[in-house]
Amino acid sequence: MDEVAGSRTFTASGDAYDSFMGRYSIALAPLLADLGGVVEGQRVVDVGCGPGALTAELVLRLGAGAVVACDPSPAFLAACRERHPGVDVRQGRAEALPLGDDAFDAALAQLVLHFVSDAETAALELRRVVRPSGRVAVCVWDFEGGMQMLRAFWDAAVSLDPDAPDELHTMRFGRAGELSALLAGAGFTDVSEHPLTVRSDYTDFEELWTSLLLGIGPAGAHLVALPPQEQERLRAAYLHLLGSPAGGFALTAVARAAVGTVPA
């Protein structure tokens, strides 16, 4: 991800992030927790917690005292602390987790690994902090077409500018097999990959467009960097690709997820 997109994403408020992406990540959280085998009595870390969508699901299942949340963004950490009192919230990057060895029964990283600078090191860190026979589950969006909101946006953007930074080509792990290969390369066993499908309902197209104008993520950063006339052209192309909905509509989003076990 380019520097501008990263800056906007990780300095955004929790509410702004929720308006754009949180509506999907909240629905995704229980699916990833299920994949990671999260059950009562465990201690689990949420790596790249953001404002705390997955953290909320872990607290629901385990209680706040059994959850650690970690993220590099001060803005996201502040939101996570406010929303989830009692959770141990720590600042740190996935490539250098501020956590002890073998400290958790499971580690989850939701919509994170395509943003880290060194995913291979991050995968090794996930393995390090989880006890032998513990599980690690990770996911990112399917950029090939499963994430309708982003796929339609980039198809519209590329139709107007072939050099638009389509996440399918600029981000890692959005294709089948990439995440499972990452975990296998880090030494996990019993690695498998699974699609996780959620949806978001919009009252109208303006709700979706307004969330993009917050400038969050690569799509939002690309949009707000355009001059007003180009923004309007992109708006029209995007609306057309979504079928020109006149009222409420829903979009589905498929995440590619992988799970692996730390060798005993």
Side-chain angles (χ1 to χ4, degrees):
M1 184 172 69
D2 65 58
E3 183 177 353
V4 172
S7 175
R8 288 184 182 277
T9 297
F10 300 121
T11 59
S13 71
D15 290 341
Y17 179 84
D18 287 347
S19 177
F20 174 63
M21 190 57 70
R23 62 176 65 231
Y24 293 98
S25 56
I26 290 169
L28 185 61
L31 304 184
L32 188 65
D34 285 345
L35 184 63
V38 176
V39 294
E40 186 177 1
Q42 293 181 332
R43 186 168 186 252
V44 178
V45 58
D46 178 2
V47 175
C49 63
L54 177 58
T55 307
E57 179 65 24
L58 298 179
V59 169
L60 182 65
R61 296 185 183 208
L62 309 174
V67 178
V68 174
C70 187
D71 200 277
S73 164
F76 282 168
L77 292 173
C80 192
R81 286 192 183 100
E82 181 179 359
R83 295 175 181 185
H84 307 299
V87 171
D88 182 357
V89 179
R90 307 186 188 185
Q91 185 168 18
R93 299 165 57 241
E95 302 94 323
L97 294 172
L99 307 166
D101 296 352
D102 305 336
F104 299 94
D105 298 294
L108 308 182
Q110 176 170 287
L111 308 178
V112 172
L113 290 179
H114 48 347
F115 290 119
V116 304
S117 60
D118 185 343
E120 286 70 23
T121 296
L124 291 172
E125 280 288 272
L126 291 169
R127 175 179 168 180
R128 177 184 66 79
V129 303
V130 173
R131 62 167 175 80
S133 300
R135 302 185 81 182
V136 167
V138 299
C139 69
V140 302
W141 291 126
D142 172 6
F143 294 127
E144 288 185 300
M147 208 303 180
Q148 288 184 309
M149 184 266 286
L150 292 176
R151 185 66 267 143
F153 176 87
W154 288 118
D155 284 347
V158 170
S159 74
L160 302 174
D161 176 7
D163 294 324
D166 185 344
E167 288 171 78
L168 178 62
H169 305 296
T170 61
M171 306 280 269
R172 297 181 66 185
F173 308 120
R175 294 182 172 89
E178 293 180 322
L179 274 179
S180 54
L182 177 72
L183 294 188
F188 289 92
T189 60
D190 303 319
V191 175
S192 57
E193 193 164 305
H194 309 263
L196 305 178
T197 303
V198 296
R199 59 174 273 169
S200 180
D201 296 307
Y202 295 90
T203 57
D204 53 27
F205 179 76
E206 287 307 315
E207 181 183 9
L208 170 56
W209 188 248
T210 299
S211 74
L212 280 158
L213 286 171
L214 294 170
I216 297 170
H222 176 71
L223 175 60
V224 299
L226 295 174
Q229 184 176 0
E230 294 303 308
Q231 288 186 12
E232 284 304 309
R233 291 182 64 217
L234 179 50
R235 182 188 183 282
Y238 190 31
L239 178 64
H240 175 73
L241 285 178
L242 290 175
S244 300
F249 64 101
L251 297 176
T252 60
V254 178
R256 297 194 181 277
V259 61
T261 301
V262 176

